[in-house]
Amino acid sequence: NNLPGTAQVAALVGGLVTWVLYACGAAILLGAGAWGLGHQAGNYAAEHKGRAMALGGVIGAMVAGAASALVNFGFGVGGSVH
């Protein structure tokens, strides 16, 4: 916490996480739309790609939300190595 620029880096990372979550939300909405339209049109390729995009958005949001906990966990495991 005493290093110069720590507050700026923390603000930058927080801003990046916000943009990642916006992108994940857009992926979920666009993927769900493609999924529904592909299903209604009988276009199974579009339906599959839409489903994959929506699922990718959900997984991306989960990883972005858990990133801090994952880094802290890894730091704790690394710190326990003697």
Side-chain angles (χ1 to χ4, degrees):
N1 290 334
N2 295 331
L3 291 174
T6 302
Q8 290 83 6
V9 171
L12 176 66
V13 170
L16 289 174
V17 169
T18 301
W19 281 105
V20 166
L21 291 176
Y22 287 154
C24 288
I28 293 168
L29 293 175
L30 292 172
W35 185 358
L37 289 173
H39 180 73
Q40 290 298 320
N43 186 342
Y44 298 112
E47 180 181 358
H48 177 71
K49 287 183 186 230
R51 183 176 36 222
M53 182 185 247
L55 182 61
V58 170
I59 292 172
M62 289 170 50
V63 169
S68 177
L70 291 171
V71 168
N72 288 332
F73 173 75
F75 184 73
V77 169
S80 66
V81 175
H82 296 278

